[in-house]
Structure formats: C-alpha cells, structure tokens
Amino acid sequence: MNGNKHLFIPGPTNVPEEVRRAMNVPMEDMRAPDFGPFVTDLLTDMKKAFRMENGRVFIFPSSGTGAWESAIQNTLTAGDKVLMSRFGQFSLLWVDMAERLGLTVELCDVEWGKGVPLEDYERILKADTKHEIKAVFATQNETATGVSSDVEGVRRALDAAGHPAMLFVDGVSSIASIPFEMEKWGVDLAVSGSQKGFMLPAGLGFLAASDKALAANASNAPKMTRCYFSFEDMIKLNDTGYFPYTPATQLLRGLRTALDMILADGMEAIWARHKFHAEGVRKAVAAWDGCELVARGPEWASDTVSAIYTPEGVDARDVISGAYTKYQTSLGTGLNKLMGKAFRIGHLGSLNPVMLCGAISAAEMALLDAGAKIEPGSGVAAAQEHYRTKSA
Ligand SMILES: *Cc1c(COP(=O)(O)O)cnc(C)c1O
C-alpha cells in the first residue's frame, strides 16, 4: 500500500502525532514520588474539559463501557427505578446494562433518528410524585445514528417537575467535541472515554461525578456490589495521586498532552470547529442524490458523526467495504437495524477540512462504485464551497 490509511470512523479517532510521541516513553514507576503530583494535576485539568469545579473525575483503565458500569454500581442498587430512552445501538446497550444490573427501567422507545424525548421525560417525571425514579439517563450523542440530544433540556424537565433524581449522561462521543456543561446543566454522572473526542487510543474510561453523586455514593442507602470500579477505593488513592491498581501510565502521559492541546485551543473553539467540520459533511450529503442523514432534522444532527442512508437499492455494506479495499478509507458501519442501510462518517477529534474532503471523496467514489446515481464530484464540491467560504 502506498500512502496512509484514512480513518473516519467515530472512534477510535485519529491520534495527533504529538500525543503518539508523548506515549512513546519507557515504563515508569507508578509509585514514584513525582507520579502523584502528575496525576493530581491531570485529574484537576480533566475537570476543565467536563466544565466542572466541584465533584471529581475518575480515570479507569477500561473503555467507556466500564465507566457506564461504575456510574450505576456506585450510586444505585438493584430494584431502583430509572428513566431511560433508546434510539440507537449505544443507548440500547446502556439500557441493556441497566437491566442486567437489576435496575427497573422505565423506557421511552424513540424512532431511530431522533433523541431524548424531552416532553415524555417531563411528563413522566411530573407524574412521579413519590420520587421513585432515582436517576434519569440521557445519551447525549447517539453515535449509531448521528443524533445529538438536548441535555440541558433534560435538566429543565427535571427542574420543571421539581424532581430530585440524579442525571446520568453518556458523553462518550460528545465530551471534548460538542458543548457539554457538567455544572451548568446539573449533570451528576458523565461518562466518556479516551478514543473519541480526547484523541487517544482506547483504554481509558472517564467518569465525572458531581458532589451530589459522590454524596449518593457515600450515603447509607444500599448500593450495588462493586469492586474494581469502586469509587471508595479510587478516591482513597486518587487523593494523593495514585491508583488502587496499576494505571496505564503511557495512556496517562498521552492524556496529559491531549489535554494540553484541548485546553490550549479552548472548549468553545473546539465546539465551533466540530460544528464547522460537520456542516461541510452535511453539505456533501445534501448534494448526493438519494442520500440523506439518519437524523430526522437539523435539530438532531450531530456535529461529531453523520449517519447517512444510502440510496434505495444501494447496500451500505458495499460502500463501506469498497471504501476500505479500493480507497484505504474506513467509514463507520450501519449498526443493528441500520446495517446495510446506512454508513457513517466520523468527524470528531483531530481533523481538518482537507482530511474531510478526502473522506467525502472516498465515500463518493465508493457510492458510485456501489451503483448510486449521484453526480460525480457533487459532494466534494459542496463541502469545498463550505470550507472555502465559511470558518469555525
Ligand atoms: C463508543 C461509545 C460507547 C462505548 O464506549 P467504549 O469505549 O467502546 O466502551 C458508549 N456510548 C457511546 C455514545 C459511544 O459512542
């Protein structure tokens, strides 16, 4: 193969060269006297990415799924009632985990292409006058369908009902990419992971916990059995900058560099850049005859990933395999019921317009090869026009 492969799946995302170099270091002593201050600073700076001053951030040697589990096990117990919604593969898997851990899920099933149903949430919360619902869950960015939900709106629904439930947010494919405000939105547990907006390899699960969530963990109310993901064990050692088990030292070194890059750019600039990048992809999709976003309207369209229906009669699997084998470009597959019907372009993390024009070009060629009757060059031209004339 000549040249590089091109990675446009919505995670793992492209790792910047600086971050890769920062991880290329010898193994180090995780009990060394200077390791503690390094970790303490890292945990403090992680709070800036989540936009919080109180509470704390946990870093688990897991993927995002481990942080999902930790959030539930440390603050809830089997039989607790929770409010969730399902509208794609990732929100579906979170519901599945909640049920397998024994929670009683009040479930809103939503058409794939839309997101968290705010009116239903508000109605259900208002009807729950005995406050049996202990937690409300929201998948901020459904990576399978390219749909973003209004987390601030979920907070408003809780407040409108005067409901004390904790607010859980899956921000794996949104935090450090699109607007997220832990404290302003009153989020209690926010889950993320290293391999999406944080521009690292997979292997770290991030979990931000508010003071309210930490108090729920410390309270006498019954909680699930937990061990590896226990807050208590983590807090005891994290307070001095150490871990209850061997930390992934190289990933932490990479995180230091990634976080330096993120904080130097500033969260607002990163959010604006993701919007600018996403808009170019959406312009391309609009130019492709017969293609459309899975998101059922601009208010749902995600700035980190676009899921795109292929034209009638064009199997999205052919587009994805053609893009990979012929053009060395990885596009995201259609998950679950979108299999064969849609492909995805991940546009989060370390990217720029020329890289995205490359992804759009590969998708366009693969669509043509798979039989789509689109105008050659139409998507690339539309994206170019956007990237030339607009800015972040
Ligand atoms: C990727 C993703 C997950 C799963 O995270 P892992 O790191 O693969 O465990 C969960 N939720 C969303 C929204 C995701 O995009």
Coordinates of all heavy atoms in Angstrom, one line a residue, residues 77-126:
T77 N -28.9 0.9 43.4 CA -28.9 -0.5 43.8 C -30.0 -1.2 42.9 O -30.9 -0.6 42.3 CB -29.2 -0.7 45.3 OG1 -28.9 -2.0 45.7 CG2 -30.6 -0.4 45.6
A78 N -29.9 -2.6 42.9 CA -30.8 -3.4 42.1 C -32.2 -3.1 42.6 O -32.5 -2.9 43.8 CB -30.5 -4.9 42.3
G79 N -33.1 -3.0 41.7 CA -34.5 -2.6 42.0 C -34.8 -1.1 41.9 O -36.0 -0.7 41.8
D80 N -33.8 -0.3 41.9 CA -34.0 1.1 41.8 C -34.7 1.4 40.4 O -34.3 0.8 39.4 CB -32.7 1.9 41.8 CG -32.3 2.2 43.3 OD1 -33.0 1.9 44.2 OD2 -31.1 2.7 43.4
K81 N -35.6 2.4 40.4 CA -36.2 2.7 39.2 C -35.5 3.9 38.5 O -35.0 4.8 39.1 CB -37.7 3.2 39.5 CG -38.5 3.3 38.3 CD -40.0 3.4 38.7 CE -40.9 3.8 37.6 NZ -42.2 4.1 38.0
V82 N -35.3 3.7 37.2 CA -34.6 4.8 36.4 C -35.3 5.0 35.1 O -36.0 4.2 34.6 CB -33.1 4.3 36.1 CG1 -32.3 4.1 37.4 CG2 -33.0 3.1 35.2
L83 N -35.1 6.2 34.6 CA -35.8 6.7 33.4 C -34.8 6.7 32.2 O -33.7 7.4 32.4 CB -36.5 8.0 33.6 CG -37.1 8.7 32.4 CD1 -38.2 7.8 31.8 CD2 -37.7 10.1 32.7
M84 N -35.0 6.0 31.2 CA -34.0 5.9 30.1 C -34.8 6.0 28.7 O -36.0 5.8 28.7 CB -33.3 4.6 30.1 CG -32.5 4.3 31.4 SD -31.5 2.8 31.4 CE -30.0 3.3 30.6
S85 N -34.0 6.3 27.7 CA -34.6 6.3 26.3 C -33.6 5.6 25.4 O -32.4 5.6 25.6 CB -34.9 7.7 25.9 OG -33.8 8.6 26.1
R86 N -34.2 5.0 24.3 CA -33.5 4.1 23.4 C -33.8 4.5 22.0 O -34.9 4.5 21.6 CB -33.9 2.7 23.7 CG -33.3 1.6 22.9 CD -33.5 0.3 23.6 NE -34.9 -0.1 23.5 CZ -35.4 -1.2 24.0 NH1 -34.7 -2.1 24.6 NH2 -36.7 -1.5 23.9
F87 N -32.7 4.9 21.3 CA -32.9 5.4 19.9 C -31.7 5.1 19.0 O -31.4 5.8 18.1 CB -33.3 6.9 19.9 CG -32.5 7.7 20.9 CD1 -31.2 8.0 20.7 CD2 -33.1 8.0 22.1 CE1 -30.4 8.7 21.7 CE2 -32.4 8.7 23.1 CZ -31.0 9.1 22.8
G88 N -31.0 4.0 19.4 CA -29.8 3.7 18.6 C -29.0 2.6 19.4 O -29.3 2.3 20.5
Q89 N -27.9 2.1 18.7 CA -27.2 1.0 19.3 C -26.6 1.3 20.7 O -26.5 0.4 21.6 CB -26.1 0.5 18.3 CG -25.3 -0.7 18.8 CD -26.1 -2.0 18.9 OE1 -27.3 -2.0 18.6 NE2 -25.5 -3.0 19.5
F90 N -26.1 2.5 20.9 CA -25.4 2.8 22.2 C -26.4 3.1 23.3 O -26.2 2.5 24.4 CB -24.4 4.0 22.0 CG -23.3 3.5 21.1 CD1 -23.3 3.8 19.7 CD2 -22.2 2.8 21.6 CE1 -22.3 3.3 18.9 CE2 -21.2 2.3 20.7 CZ -21.3 2.6 19.4
S91 N -27.5 3.8 23.0 CA -28.5 4.0 24.1 C -29.1 2.6 24.4 O -29.5 2.3 25.5 CB -29.5 5.0 23.7 OG -30.0 4.8 22.3
L92 N -29.2 1.8 23.4 CA -29.8 0.4 23.5 C -28.9 -0.4 24.5 O -29.4 -1.1 25.4 CB -29.9 -0.2 22.2 CG -30.3 -1.7 22.0 CD1 -31.0 -1.8 20.6 CD2 -29.2 -2.7 22.1
L93 N -27.6 -0.3 24.3 CA -26.7 -1.1 25.1 C -26.7 -0.6 26.6 O -26.5 -1.4 27.5 CB -25.3 -1.0 24.5 CG -25.0 -1.9 23.3 CD1 -23.6 -1.6 22.7 CD2 -25.2 -3.4 23.5
W94 N -26.9 0.7 26.7 CA -26.9 1.2 28.1 C -28.1 0.7 28.9 O -28.1 0.4 30.0 CB -26.8 2.8 28.1 CG -26.1 3.4 29.3 CD1 -25.4 2.7 30.3 CD2 -26.1 4.8 29.7 NE1 -25.0 3.6 31.2 CE2 -25.3 4.8 30.9 CE3 -26.6 5.9 29.1 CZ2 -25.1 6.1 31.5 CZ3 -26.3 7.1 29.7 CH2 -25.6 7.2 30.9
V95 N -29.2 0.7 28.2 CA -30.5 0.1 28.7 C -30.2 -1.3 29.1 O -30.6 -1.8 30.2 CB -31.7 0.3 27.8 CG1 -32.9 -0.5 28.2 CG2 -32.0 1.7 27.5
D96 N -29.6 -2.0 28.2 CA -29.3 -3.5 28.4 C -28.5 -3.7 29.6 O -28.8 -4.5 30.5 CB -28.6 -4.0 27.1 CG -28.3 -5.5 27.3 OD1 -29.2 -6.3 27.5 OD2 -27.1 -5.8 27.2
M97 N -27.5 -2.8 29.8 CA -26.6 -2.9 31.0 C -27.4 -2.6 32.3 O -27.3 -3.4 33.3 CB -25.4 -2.0 30.9 CG -24.6 -1.9 32.2 SD -23.3 -0.7 32.2 CE -22.0 -1.6 31.3
A98 N -28.2 -1.6 32.2 CA -29.0 -1.2 33.4 C -29.9 -2.4 33.8 O -30.1 -2.7 35.0 CB -29.8 0.0 33.1
E99 N -30.5 -3.0 32.8 CA -31.4 -4.1 33.1 C -30.6 -5.3 33.7 O -31.1 -6.0 34.6 CB -32.3 -4.5 31.9 CG -33.3 -3.4 31.6 CD -34.1 -3.7 30.3 OE1 -33.6 -4.4 29.4 OE2 -35.3 -3.1 30.2
R100 N -29.5 -5.6 33.1 CA -28.7 -6.7 33.5 C -28.2 -6.5 34.9 O -27.9 -7.4 35.7 CB -27.6 -7.0 32.5 CG -28.1 -7.7 31.3 CD -27.2 -7.6 30.1 NE -25.9 -8.3 30.3 CZ -24.9 -8.2 29.4 NH1 -25.1 -7.5 28.3 NH2 -23.8 -8.9 29.6
L101 N -28.0 -5.2 35.3 CA -27.5 -4.9 36.7 C -28.7 -4.9 37.6 O -28.5 -4.6 38.8 CB -26.7 -3.6 36.7 CG -25.3 -3.7 36.0 CD1 -24.7 -2.3 36.0 CD2 -24.4 -4.6 36.7
G102 N -29.9 -5.1 37.2 CA -31.0 -5.2 38.1 C -31.9 -4.0 38.3 O -32.8 -3.9 39.1
L103 N -31.6 -2.9 37.5 CA -32.4 -1.7 37.7 C -33.7 -1.9 37.0 O -33.9 -2.7 36.1 CB -31.7 -0.5 37.0 CG -30.3 -0.1 37.6 CD1 -29.7 1.1 36.8 CD2 -30.5 0.3 39.1
T104 N -34.7 -1.2 37.5 CA -36.1 -1.3 36.9 C -36.2 -0.1 35.9 O -36.2 1.1 36.4 CB -37.2 -1.2 38.0 OG1 -37.0 -2.3 38.9 CG2 -38.5 -1.2 37.4
V105 N -36.2 -0.4 34.6 CA -36.1 0.7 33.7 C -37.4 1.1 33.2 O -38.2 0.3 32.6 CB -35.2 0.3 32.5 CG1 -35.1 1.4 31.4 CG2 -33.8 -0.1 32.9
E106 N -37.8 2.4 33.4 CA -38.9 3.0 32.7 C -38.4 3.5 31.3 O -37.5 4.4 31.3 CB -39.5 4.1 33.5 CG -40.4 5.0 32.8 CD -41.9 5.0 33.4 OE1 -42.0 4.8 34.6 OE2 -42.8 5.2 32.6
L107 N -38.8 2.8 30.3 CA -38.2 3.0 29.0 C -39.0 3.8 28.0 O -40.2 3.5 27.8 CB -37.8 1.7 28.4 CG -37.1 1.6 27.1 CD1 -35.7 2.4 27.2 CD2 -36.9 0.2 26.6
C108 N -38.4 4.8 27.4 CA -39.0 5.5 26.2 C -38.3 5.0 25.0 O -37.2 5.3 24.8 CB -38.8 7.0 26.3 SG -39.5 7.8 27.8
D109 N -39.1 4.3 24.1 CA -38.5 3.9 22.9 C -38.8 5.0 21.8 O -40.0 5.4 21.7 CB -39.1 2.5 22.4 CG -38.2 1.4 22.6 OD1 -37.0 1.6 22.2 OD2 -38.6 0.3 23.1
V110 N -37.8 5.4 21.2 CA -37.9 6.5 20.3 C -37.5 6.1 18.9 O -36.6 5.2 18.7 CB -37.0 7.7 20.7 CG1 -37.0 8.9 19.8 CG2 -37.4 8.1 22.1
E111 N -38.1 6.6 17.9 CA -37.7 6.4 16.5 C -36.2 6.7 16.3 O -35.7 7.7 16.8 CB -38.5 7.3 15.6 CG -38.2 7.3 14.1 CD -38.8 8.5 13.4 OE1 -39.6 9.3 14.0 OE2 -38.5 8.7 12.2
W112 N -35.5 5.7 15.6 CA -34.1 6.0 15.4 C -33.9 7.1 14.4 O -34.5 7.1 13.3 CB -33.4 4.7 14.8 CG -33.2 3.6 15.8 CD1 -34.0 3.3 16.9 CD2 -32.1 2.7 15.9 NE1 -33.5 2.3 17.6 CE2 -32.4 1.8 17.0 CE3 -31.0 2.4 15.1 CZ2 -31.5 0.8 17.3 CZ3 -30.2 1.4 15.4 CH2 -30.4 0.6 16.5
G113 N -33.2 8.1 14.8 CA -33.1 9.4 14.0 C -33.5 10.6 14.9 O -33.2 11.7 14.5
K114 N -34.1 10.3 16.0 CA -34.4 11.3 17.0 C -33.7 10.9 18.3 O -33.1 9.8 18.4 CB -35.9 11.4 17.2 CG -36.6 12.0 15.9 CD -38.1 12.2 16.2 CE -38.7 12.8 14.9 NZ -40.2 12.9 15.1
G115 N -33.8 11.8 19.3 CA -33.1 11.6 20.5 C -33.9 11.6 21.7 O -35.1 11.2 21.7
V116 N -33.4 12.0 22.8 CA -34.0 12.0 24.1 C -35.4 12.8 24.0 O -35.4 14.0 23.7 CB -33.2 12.6 25.2 CG1 -33.9 12.7 26.6 CG2 -31.8 11.8 25.4
P117 N -36.5 12.1 24.4 CA -37.8 12.8 24.2 C -38.1 13.6 25.4 O -38.6 13.1 26.5 CB -38.8 11.5 24.1 CG -38.1 10.5 24.9 CD -36.6 10.7 24.9
L118 N -37.9 14.9 25.3 CA -38.0 15.8 26.5 C -39.4 15.9 27.0 O -39.6 15.9 28.3 CB -37.5 17.2 26.1 CG -36.0 17.3 25.7 CD1 -35.6 18.8 25.5 CD2 -35.1 16.7 26.8
E119 N -40.4 15.9 26.1 CA -41.8 16.1 26.7 C -42.2 14.8 27.4 O -42.8 14.9 28.5 CB -42.8 16.3 25.5 CG -42.7 17.6 24.8 CD -41.6 17.6 23.7 OE1 -41.4 16.5 23.1 OE2 -41.0 18.7 23.4
D120 N -41.8 13.6 26.9 CA -42.1 12.4 27.6 C -41.4 12.4 29.0 O -42.0 12.0 30.0 CB -41.7 11.2 26.8 CG -42.5 11.0 25.6 OD1 -43.6 11.7 25.5 OD2 -42.1 10.3 24.6
Y121 N -40.1 12.8 29.0 CA -39.4 12.8 30.2 C -40.1 13.7 31.2 O -40.3 13.3 32.4 CB -37.9 13.3 30.0 CG -36.9 12.2 29.7 CD1 -37.3 11.0 29.1 CD2 -35.6 12.4 30.0 CE1 -36.3 10.0 28.8 CE2 -34.6 11.4 29.8 CZ -35.0 10.2 29.1 OH -34.1 9.2 28.9
E122 N -40.5 14.9 30.8 CA -41.1 15.8 31.7 C -42.4 15.3 32.3 O -42.7 15.4 33.5 CB -41.3 17.2 31.0 CG -41.8 18.2 32.0 CD -41.8 19.7 31.5 OE1 -40.9 20.0 30.6 OE2 -42.6 20.5 31.9
R123 N -43.2 14.7 31.3 CA -44.5 14.1 31.8 C -44.3 13.0 32.8 O -44.9 13.0 33.8 CB -45.2 13.6 30.5 CG -46.6 13.0 30.8 CD -47.3 12.5 29.5 NE -46.4 11.8 28.6 CZ -46.0 10.6 28.7 NH1 -46.4 9.9 29.8 NH2 -45.2 10.0 27.8
I124 N -43.3 12.1 32.5 CA -43.1 11.0 33.4 C -42.6 11.5 34.8 O -43.0 11.0 35.8 CB -42.1 10.0 32.8 CG1 -42.8 9.3 31.6 CG2 -41.6 9.0 33.8 CD1 -41.9 8.6 30.6
L125 N -41.7 12.5 34.7 CA -41.1 13.0 36.0 C -42.2 13.7 36.8 O -42.2 13.6 38.0 CB -39.9 13.9 35.7 CG -38.7 13.2 35.2 CD1 -37.7 14.2 34.6 CD2 -38.0 12.3 36.3
K126 N -43.1 14.4 36.1 CA -44.1 15.1 36.9 C -45.1 14.2 37.5 O -45.6 14.4 38.6 CB -44.9 16.1 35.9 CG -44.1 17.4 35.7 CD -44.9 18.4 34.9 CE -44.2 19.8 34.9 NZ -44.6 20.6 33.8

